[in-house]
């Protein structure tokens, strides 16, 4: 049985290659040819925080591979959590209905707590400001598919590096490659120290910046993120920095011709919609790649 809790389980280039190849195969396969490794199984999606892409791509992947789906899209409000049920009890109970649980929760460590009491696989679809492992895998797949490699790339991560769980997971994956990271954020949203310690331990080239003017022309990947308003205690602190990094067509002009612009989505205002038609804008393709990577992951869990 394989839980997917953290990207730490995937720090192996061979495994990552296998998953990217599998996701790529699914992207080229007609629907009628999809294997059915999940036939006669039931998968539950249990989301305590808002989601569009992660939930819908998982639910599509689950059904594409032959499983039944049971779902609660707003578990915080409509499940028994509203009556005070713990994640442990909900998990134990769902073990009686399903063969796998895809879980999104607002608390760091929630997926690990669920896994500790579960006899069926738990997939972490985001735990607060902790991790978002399946997003990191689809991000890696997107870079590999668009640029043909990971090693040697200059990758900038922009925005809320403090609270962005996609950043926390993706940087851990990238840290096993030979990449250079540029961490661009307002002073108050710098990446947590533990990630800096990891980069140093891995001898990774990295630098922190509060300005991107000199960098836009040099990077191969520009990974934009949303400032995570819901994680702020004071709205004034959010207001003060929410417009610090907004990508406009004028700024995109400074970028390399073959660079790519990524974003886990949803965007608020950090990428001007006028950028969407630029061939370097990869974020909607990235969202689509999420479907193929999640099929690859379910296939990986359930094919012996
Ligand atoms: C992200 C998330 O939920 O962490 N979205 C996603 O899953 N694609 C990013 C965000 O909310 O900003």
């Amino acid at each position: 049985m394989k839980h997917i809790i953290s990207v730490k389980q995937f720090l192996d280039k061979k495994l990552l290659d296998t998953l990217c190849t599998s996701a790529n195969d699914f992207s080229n396969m007609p629907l009628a040819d999809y294997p059915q490794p999940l036939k006669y199984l039931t998968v539950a999606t249990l989301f305590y925080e808002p989601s569009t892409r992660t939930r819908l791509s998982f639910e599509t992947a689950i059904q594409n591979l032959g499983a039944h789906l049971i779902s609660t899209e707003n578990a915080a409000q409509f499940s028994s959590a509203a009556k005070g049920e713990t994640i442990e009890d909900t998990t134990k109970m769902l073990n009686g209905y399903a063969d796998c649980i895809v879980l999104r929760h607002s608390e760091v460590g929630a997926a690990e707590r669920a896994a500790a009491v579960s006899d069926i696989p738990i997939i972490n679809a985001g735990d607060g400001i902790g991790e978002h492992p399946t997003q990191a895998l689809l991000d890696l797949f997107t870079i590999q598919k668009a640029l043909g490699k990971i090693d040697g790339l200059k990758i900038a991560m922009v925005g809320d590096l403090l609270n962005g769980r996609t950043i926390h997971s993706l940087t851990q994956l990238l840290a096993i490659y030979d990449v250079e990271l540029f961490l661009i954020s307002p002073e108050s949203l710098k990446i947590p120290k533990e990630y800096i310690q990891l980069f140093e331990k891995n001898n990774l080239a990295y630098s922190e910046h509060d300005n991107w003017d000199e960098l836009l022309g040099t990077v191969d990947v520009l990974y934009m993120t949303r400032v995570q308003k819901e994680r702020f205690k004071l709205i004034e602190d959010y207001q003060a920095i929410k417009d610090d990094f907004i990508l406009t067509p004028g700024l995109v002009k400074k970028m390399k011709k073959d660079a790519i612009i990524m974003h886990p989505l949803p965007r608020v205002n950090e990428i001007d919609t006028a950028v969407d038609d630029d061939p370097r804008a990869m974020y909607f393709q990235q969202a689509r790649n999420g479907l193929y990577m999640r099929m690859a992951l379910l296939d990986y869990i359930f094919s012996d």
Side-chain angles (χ1 to χ4, degrees):
M1 200 225 339
K2 302 167 191 154
H3 299 293
I4 296 182
I5 306 298
S6 163
V7 277
K8 291 184 182 67
Q9 299 166 245
F10 295 91
L11 303 180
D12 169 355
K13 288 186 184 178
K14 245 176 129 179
L15 173 59
L16 292 168
D17 266 356
T18 306
L19 288 170
C20 286
T21 303
S22 169
N24 195 49
D25 290 347
F26 281 123
S27 78
N28 292 320
M29 206 180 281
L31 202 92
D33 292 351
Y34 288 156
Q36 303 286 288
L38 275 65
K39 200 169 175 192
Y40 303 126
L41 299 183
T42 299
V43 181
T45 55
L46 184 60
F47 278 60
Y48 293 85
E49 278 199 329
S51 170
T52 307
R53 275 148 295 276
T54 306
R55 189 169 68 86
L56 293 180
S57 63
F58 258 118
E59 294 188 349
T60 309
I62 287 162
Q63 295 176 91
N64 281 353
L65 298 181
H68 295 290
L69 169 71
I70 54 174
S71 175
T72 165
E73 67 180 284
N74 184 351
Q77 199 182 340
F78 295 134
S79 79
S80 288
K83 302 178 186 169
E85 187 169 60
T86 62
I87 188 65
E88 282 85 356
D89 278 1
T90 306
T91 303
K92 284 187 201 168
M93 186 271 311
L94 266 179
N95 268 246
Y97 302 156
D99 301 283
C100 176
I101 300 171
V102 182
L103 173 69
R104 169 168 289 191
H105 202 278
S106 55
E107 285 167 28
V108 177
E112 207 168 347
R113 279 169 52 204
V117 298
S118 183
D119 292 329
I120 59 175
I122 302 292
I123 301 179
N124 182 5
D127 61 333
I129 61 166
E131 278 216 38
H132 197 346
T134 66
Q135 178 74 40
L137 293 164
L138 78 89
D139 291 341
L140 192 85
F141 171 50
T142 299
I143 299 172
Q144 174 72 44
K145 196 170 164 72
L147 300 176
K149 61 175 186 177
I150 308 289
D151 283 323
L153 295 177
K154 291 183 191 297
I155 301 176
M157 311 214 147
V158 184
D160 192 344
L161 311 186
L162 177 65
N163 299 305
R165 55 193 171 200
T166 74
I167 294 289
H168 301 162
S169 287
L170 181 57
T171 52
Q172 291 185 65
L173 274 193
L174 291 173
I176 67 166
Y177 291 89
D178 180 20
V179 297
E180 180 166 4
L181 289 187
F182 300 90
L183 304 157
I184 305 168
S185 71
E187 184 61 30
S188 59
L189 297 180
K190 283 165 79 170
I191 197 163
K193 287 266 172 322
E194 62 194 274
Y195 299 98
I196 299 289
Q197 283 162 4
L198 171 72
F199 306 152
E200 301 209 325
K201 182 171 149 254
N202 287 17
N203 260 327
L204 192 83
Y206 78 93
S207 49
E208 295 183 277
H209 308 263
D210 60 9
N211 186 304
W212 60 1
D213 295 345
E214 304 300 314
L215 300 172
L216 284 172
T218 69
V219 301
D220 303 297
V221 178
L222 185 67
Y223 190 101
M224 299 289 297
T225 63
R226 174 179 72 89
V227 178
Q228 311 266 302
K229 186 179 180 182
E230 69 276 27
R231 314 287 181 204
F232 282 72
K233 288 197 183 76
L234 295 175
I235 191 73
E236 306 87 79
D237 292 347
Y238 166 74
Q239 302 282 5
I241 43 84
K242 73 178 178 53
D243 297 330
D244 278 12
F245 294 99
I246 295 182
L247 191 65
T248 58
L251 289 172
V252 172
K253 271 207 187 88
K254 296 185 179 179
M255 293 178 61
K256 283 162 80 169
K257 287 273 166 298
D258 54 356
I260 57 170
I261 303 162
M262 298 174 66
H263 192 309
L265 301 176
R267 90 175 126 191
V268 182
N269 63 341
E270 57 279 0
I271 302 180
D272 189 328
T273 52
V275 173
D276 295 0
D277 292 333
D278 191 290
R280 289 165 284 190
M282 201 55 66
Y283 26 95
F284 289 110
Q285 179 61 45
Q286 182 184 353
R288 186 165 177 81
N289 290 342
L291 168 63
Y292 305 125
M293 180 48 83
R294 286 169 177 135
M295 288 176 74
L297 286 167
L298 288 166
D299 189 38
Y300 162 73
I301 293 175
F302 285 100
S303 313
D304 50 56

